[in-house]
Amino acid sequence: MQTLLKSTGLIVILLTILGVSAYSKTVSVKSPNGETECVLNVGEKLTYSVLYRGEKVILDGNMGLKIKSGPVLGLNLEVVESAVQEVNETWKPVYNPNETILNHYNELTVDFEELKFPGRKFQVIVRAYNDGVAFRYMVPQGSDRQKCNLENELTTFNFESDVTCWAANYKGFKSHQEGHFNKQPLSGLSPQGYYGLPLTLKVSENCYAAITEAHLDKWAGMYLRTSQHPKELRTVLSNIKNNGVEDRFICTLELPHKSPWRVIMLGEKPGDLIESEMVSNLNPPCKIEETSWIKPGICTWDSWWSRNVNMENDEIKKFIDLAAENEYPYMLIDWQWYGEYNKPEADVTTLAEQLDMPMLISYAKQKNVKLWLWLYWTDVNRNMEEAFNLYESWGIAGVKIDFMALDGYEMVEWYHNTVKLAAQHHLMVNFHGAYKPTGIRRTWPNLMTREGVLGNEYNKFTYNVTPEHNVTLPFTRMLAGPMDYTPGGFVNALKGEFKPQKNTMVMGTRCHELAKFVVFDSPVTTLCDHPENYKNQPGMDFLQKVKAVWDETKVLQGAIGEYIVMARKSGNKWFIAGMTNSDARLLEVDLDFLPDDSYTIDLYKDGEATKLNATKLEKMKLKLHRAEKLKIECAPGGGFVGIISK
């Protein structure tokens, strides 16, 4: 179970005691350190502002909901009661008991009532963290209603100036959410766009922000677009059902009903956003009682990606062997193991005629490797209970479910129901063709990772996975949670030499690829390449040592789309990694994050040979002192990794 380790107690203050009357026009809450603040302005309409270290980040953003058969909920309100409480606790992810996550915030709860007919009640809950602000709506149950239909959410995010942002336009609600986060001014976004979350912004030289959502449940996925005001982002909610048909309503709310959290992450540097745990903290604690079966690790993959692998017993055994040789716990059997997929006759409880699943399961067990299975979502949806029961009897570790490509109300509920049922059958889950994370892995920690990212698979058929893209992802998509990017391509190519081909290349140097295992977050990390491409290759010894989860994370340097340097702790060792875009770069890294003075590092870096052959690297052992700088030359599209020991 996730356990709370410490609680400094609950402090509840009625604001009326402090002189705030029921008819106040302003109610606010500050973070525990006083550096972030959210102010609710109550008048003809309800608005909010967010400040960071006294600087205005959001100014008079609109709040409210449009409910069928009634005026906008959020107009002509009075404050009935307000209260603030402080929560200071820590908890541990079940799959990494060495990591401790701080959840410290001040929470403001405001009860409103409409001054005019129909006199409905309405509640807003605001949490102020040291690293951001979040708020949600609560629609109470009335004496005359137990349900209502949501037509629209009216939340906007208003900025004082034309700030720089990094945004991915998915161009519709039907999307796998796999795109580039392009740098542009806010005014460059389209009023017809479907900009996904997170959306990262540079508010000023000393203030970065990211907008996303947390605890998405019984609601529809959120997108952003500009309005007639070029400095305003407005909320757009998906209205697509699971059958792909648009609904006239966003969803039906069973009352009382809480919306997802609207999250504004804040930091002085872009790396501060990466270190934030707000998205996970805004979700309920673990609901699984016995969790010993939930284990992180690296997973090999008999993918169509590496060499167009055939779905045959002997080929699958090669990937089981790769996992066993490197002491990886998992191997994923990909599509077509049950024959044709995405057809009415597809049956996920049967086998393709050429496969011997009992033999493969036995073979993997002898090698101390557990298997994952790929599933097309509509195929498994027809008989999910039967299938999960069968997989549990086989000893399957987890399921990779693919091609949902929706985040309307029905699909959001499908995600929750699926991961809950999987937990009942001791199955971990990896969602592909998925929407971005919203933190429910805290509640259902068997949800190990998900896609919703333009990852290595696109190297098979596009030129899209550039070094620039790779050093943008940590500051954008990864802020929402783990991403199954599938790193580990060892047919490395310099940018001008890269081309899509059968034996799939990846753009960037070998060290750039190794660095992804430290920089990118995924508690189950899927290794993308073919066993033949790993044989006797430089850097493979690093992949035998790298971890999938970490005890502590430090972002040491970084500029969005340019470079990043991160350090992650595992036990008594630090794994450090850097990546650069297509520019060669000298990285000078301060080592003052190390607690003691003297260390050694096993360093893998680009060398002179790398400039001509991207698969080359230099390996060396160096002495380090925390008062010194680690200076590393990176080739274009390059990087480095190192293991720091006492």
Side-chain angles (χ1 to χ4, degrees):
M1 293 278 299
Q2 281 170 317
T3 55
L4 299 182
L5 301 182
K6 175 184 65 177
S7 178
T8 61
L10 204 61
I11 304 169
V12 179
I13 306 170
L14 288 179
L15 294 183
T16 51
I17 296 174
L18 300 180
V20 181
S21 74
Y23 298 98
S24 292
K25 296 298 183 183
T26 299
V27 187
S28 66
V29 61
K30 289 187 176 182
S31 61
N33 68 1
E35 292 189 349
T36 69
E37 182 179 13
C38 184
V39 181
L40 301 185
N41 306 294
V42 186
E44 292 185 3
K45 64 179 182 178
L46 179 63
T47 65
Y48 75 101
S49 298
V50 175
L51 295 87
Y52 179 65
R53 297 180 177 177
E55 180 176 357
K56 294 176 182 176
V57 178
I58 306 289
L59 182 64
D60 294 330
N62 294 322
M63 304 181 78
L65 303 173
K66 180 66 178 75
I67 306 295
K68 182 193 174 186
S69 302
V72 169
L73 193 55
L75 302 178
N76 299 304
L77 301 174
E78 66 173 351
V79 176
V80 176
E81 187 175 58
S82 302
V84 169
Q85 64 176 358
E86 180 184 18
V87 174
N88 187 359
E89 64 189 17
T90 56
W91 58 278
K92 289 180 175 291
V94 300
Y95 47 74
N96 187 21
N98 294 322
E99 182 183 14
T100 299
I101 296 176
L102 175 66
N103 188 23
H104 189 195
Y105 58 88
N106 290 329
E107 181 178 88
L108 167 68
T109 302
V110 187
D111 292 312
F112 297 101
E113 187 171 352
E114 292 176 317
L115 290 168
K116 299 181 180 179
F117 182 82
R120 296 166 296 179
K121 297 182 187 295
F122 181 52
Q123 190 177 78
V124 172
I125 304 167
V126 183
R127 289 185 183 176
Y129 289 83
N130 294 341
D131 54 357
V133 164
F135 61 86
R136 74 188 329 176
Y137 306 103
M138 205 281 278
V139 184
Q141 180 176 327
S143 59
D144 60 338
R145 57 188 183 134
Q146 287 74 45
K147 294 182 180 180
C148 65
N149 289 317
L150 178 67
E151 292 186 348
N152 198 9
E153 180 182 335
L154 305 178
T155 306
T156 66
F157 304 84
N158 299 1
F159 299 87
E160 279 199 298
S161 62
D162 192 9
V163 299
T164 300
C165 66
W166 289 261
N169 186 359
Y170 298 130
K171 300 181 180 180
F173 295 134
K174 299 178 183 179
S175 165
H176 291 107
Q177 300 199 0
E178 298 164 357
H180 287 118
F181 290 81
N182 296 313
K183 181 181 179 180
Q184 56 200 301
L186 202 61
S187 60
L189 303 185
S190 168
Q192 288 77 46
Y194 295 79
Y195 295 97
L197 306 179
L199 190 147
T200 303
L201 308 106
K202 181 180 180 181
V203 179
S204 67
E205 288 301 321
N206 297 308
C207 179
Y208 286 79
I211 300 169
T212 192
E213 62 181 333
H215 194 197
L216 175 59
D217 186 14
K218 296 181 174 60
W219 207 267
M222 173 182 170
Y223 299 76
L224 297 170
R225 61 173 53 143
T226 52
S227 65
Q228 66 271 25
H229 305 294
K231 300 170 189 174
E232 177 183 85
L233 292 170
R234 63 185 181 93
T235 296
V236 184
L237 300 181
S238 174
N239 68 338
I240 305 294
K241 291 186 172 182
N242 285 6
N243 61 8
V245 177
E246 290 189 11
D247 198 340
R248 104 174 250 211
F249 302 116
I250 302 300
C251 55
T252 298
L253 307 182
E254 300 279 349
L255 302 179
H257 200 104
K258 293 179 180 178
S259 76
W261 292 99
R262 290 2 192 157
V263 183
I264 302 105
M265 304 166 71
L266 296 166
E268 180 182 353
K269 305 181 298 297
D272 296 338
L273 305 178
I274 299 173
E275 294 181 8
S276 174
E277 296 286 356
M278 279 186 68
V279 173
S280 292
N281 279 332
L282 288 162
N283 280 261
C286 176
K287 290 186 177 180
I288 304 174
E289 291 186 5
E290 203 286 307
T291 60
S292 62
W293 52 275
I294 303 174
K295 296 180 179 179
I298 293 178
C299 181
T300 62
W301 172 34
D302 67 337
S303 72
W304 52 271
W305 182 89
S306 55
R307 294 188 174 189
N308 293 346
V309 169
N310 294 320
M311 185 54 60
E312 296 176 351
N313 293 320
D314 288 344
E315 195 67 29
I316 292 172
K317 288 166 72 174
K318 292 179 183 178
F319 288 87
I320 295 173
D321 291 341
L322 175 65
E325 290 162 5
N326 295 283
E327 298 184 356
Y328 300 149
Y330 303 122
M331 183 265 156
L332 166 65
I333 300 179
D334 207 63
W335 57 3
Q336 301 191 62
W337 68 267
Y338 56 89
E340 293 293 320
Y341 60 91
N342 191 26
K343 292 189 175 181
E345 64 271 20
D347 186 349
V348 299
T349 64
T350 63
L351 298 175
E353 61 181 18
Q354 75 274 19
L355 287 189
D356 184 347
M357 186 63 75
M359 181 276 294
L360 291 171
I361 293 170
S362 176
Y363 185 81
K365 187 174 182 180
Q366 294 170 24
K367 301 275 187 172
N368 199 28
V369 174
K370 290 192 172 185
L371 300 178
W372 285 63
L373 298 177
W374 178 92
L375 301 162
Y376 197 96
W377 84 274
T378 52
D379 296 342
V380 73
N381 199 45
R382 283 191 288 273
N383 56 346
M384 190 181 295
E385 177 77 52
E386 179 187 355
F388 285 3
N389 186 59
L390 177 64
Y391 304 158
E392 183 180 22
S393 71
W394 286 353
I396 298 300
V399 289
K400 171 184 171 182
I401 307 179
D402 208 345
F403 286 104
M404 290 76 72
L406 295 171
D407 59 353
Y409 171 82
E410 289 184 342
M411 183 56 71
V412 169
E413 287 309 287
W414 182 89
Y415 272 63
H416 282 260
N417 294 336
T418 299
V419 76
K420 180 180 179 180
L421 183 62
Q424 293 171 9
H425 292 280
H426 301 95
L427 293 170
M428 292 178 282
V429 178
N430 175 357
F431 285 127
H432 266 231
Y435 64 83
K436 84 282 175 186
T438 64
I440 68 167
R441 66 190 178 111
R442 182 185 179 191
T443 311
W444 300 105
N446 61 316
L447 176 52
M448 304 301 289
T449 190
R450 71 172 80 191
E451 196 180 29
V453 64
L454 197 162
N456 255 351
E457 69 175 7
Y458 277 80
N459 284 300
K460 189 74 174 178
F461 43 83
T462 75
Y463 292 81
N464 290 342
V465 192
T466 63
E468 286 73 18
H469 173 67
N470 293 332
V471 293
T472 300
L473 285 177
F475 304 101
T476 51
R477 160 61 181 82
M478 199 174 79
L479 301 180
M483 53 188 194
D484 193 25
Y485 176 102
T486 64
F490 265 33
V491 185
N492 311 100
L494 302 174
K495 193 171 183 180
E497 299 171 350
F498 173 87
K499 61 180 179 180
Q501 61 178 32
K502 180 178 179 180
N503 189 20
T504 310
M505 289 181 166
V506 294
M507 203 180 301
T509 72
R510 177 66 53 83
C511 284
H512 184 94
E513 195 69 16
L514 295 178
K516 294 174 183 177
F517 286 83
V518 178
V519 173
F520 294 166
D521 182 25
S522 186
V524 169
T525 299
T526 305
L527 198 68
C528 66
D529 220 333
H530 192 279
E532 293 295 325
N533 289 341
Y534 291 126
K535 281 186 177 178
N536 304 315
Q537 283 295 305
M540 194 59 202
D541 57 332
F542 177 80
L543 294 188
Q544 293 169 343
K545 301 169 185 173
V546 75
K547 309 300 178 183
V549 295
W550 308 96
D551 305 339
E552 190 177 347
T553 293
K554 302 281 188 184
V555 181
L556 306 180
Q557 294 180 9
I560 306 173
E562 298 180 26
Y563 67 97
I564 186 169
V565 180
M566 290 179 66
R568 304 227 196 215
K569 189 171 185 249
S570 177
N572 60 0
K573 297 182 184 295
W574 283 89
F575 288 70
I576 188 170
M579 303 165 66
T580 184
N581 59 11
S582 296
D583 296 331
R585 193 178 304 275
L586 172 64
L587 295 174
E588 299 188 39
V589 184
D590 287 322
L591 300 172
D592 54 5
F593 67 93
L594 296 170
D596 298 311
D597 288 337
S598 298
Y599 295 83
T600 60
I601 181 170
D602 293 307
L603 181 65
Y604 304 72
K605 62 183 285 292
D606 301 326
E608 282 299 313
T610 313
K611 297 175 183 178
L612 299 176
N613 184 341
T615 67
K616 300 295 184 182
L617 60 79
E618 293 181 357
K619 182 182 176 183
M620 60 192 67
K621 185 181 285 287
L622 302 173
K623 292 182 179 181
L624 296 180
H625 193 280
R626 73 184 302 271
E628 300 172 346
K629 288 182 182 290
L630 180 64
K631 298 181 181 182
I632 300 177
E633 292 273 2
C634 294
F640 75 93
V641 292
I643 304 173
I644 300 175
S645 308
K646 282 285 290 182

